[in-house]
Amino acid sequence: MNQRKLSRVLTLAGAMALLGVIFLFYGLPAYWLLLRAAGAPAWLAAGLMLLGLPYLFALNHYFRICANIGADRSFCRENAKRMDAIAKLLFLAAALWIIAAILTALLGGGRAPSGYATAPFGALALYVRMGLALLASLAVGLVAKMMALLVGRATRLQEENDLTI
């Protein structure tokens, strides 16, 4: 597969991720329902919707990496720096999920609504979803950090190889 085709496939995957982020954080009213069901105030629900911002900034870096790959610059310092920035943004998102869960528990009381046993949007379901988002952010952040290290190492090897020729 040539670089341009690879770049297009990666860009398509990024576009799907972008649609997911937009849908989950900005188009899906379930967050409001989950938080209100857990007894959280409305301002906290709006704050949680801001959690999508680190993901959007990370996707911006991702699309720039895809453009570099399409321009046959897969192993360059810029891509390593961008991968590192993606990792930092995802670690930030994980930290924000922790803060959001704590604030929801403290300010929302973490109390279950009436009919909690049958409610699909109960307090426990909310905390499970927050925990899963936290773990996913950490996992992808760790992968991005390792990829940043590998791309940086490959860039150094490529530069050394270019010097010896």
Side-chain angles (χ1 to χ4, degrees):
M1 184 179 291
N2 67 21
Q3 296 297 102
R4 286 184 187 260
K5 188 180 281 188
L6 180 62
S7 175
R8 280 190 229 124
V9 170
L10 290 172
T11 301
L12 178 63
M16 288 187 275
L18 179 63
L19 287 174
V21 167
I22 290 170
F23 176 74
L24 287 174
F25 289 99
Y26 305 106
L28 186 66
Y31 280 114
W32 290 94
L33 296 173
L34 287 169
L35 289 168
R36 297 307 294 158
W43 64 265
L44 186 59
L48 278 177
M49 289 193 166
L50 293 176
L51 282 171
L53 291 177
Y55 300 105
L56 291 175
F57 290 127
L59 281 168
N60 177 47
H61 287 293
Y62 174 82
F63 285 123
R64 290 175 183 232
I65 290 170
C66 290
N68 284 343
I69 291 171
D72 202 19
R73 294 186 307 134
S74 299
F75 301 110
C76 63
R77 292 185 192 276
E78 181 184 356
N79 282 354
K81 287 180 183 177
R82 289 195 181 281
M83 289 299 293
D84 194 52
I86 290 171
K88 288 177 183 172
L89 285 164
L90 291 174
F91 293 147
L92 171 65
L96 291 175
W97 279 113
I98 292 170
I99 292 167
I102 291 169
L103 286 176
T104 301
L106 293 177
L107 301 176
R111 59 188 177 274
S114 59
Y116 171 71
T118 59
F121 298 119
L124 180 61
L126 173 65
Y127 294 122
V128 168
R129 285 179 174 97
M130 286 179 162
L132 290 173
L134 162 71
L135 291 175
S137 297
L138 280 176
V140 177
L142 286 171
V143 169
K145 185 66 176 175
M146 294 304 108
M147 290 297 295
L149 293 172
L150 290 173
V151 170
R153 187 174 293 165
T155 300
R156 285 189 299 280
L157 288 172
Q158 184 176 353
E159 289 171 354
E160 288 174 12
N161 190 29
D162 290 343
L163 289 176
T164 58
I165 295 176

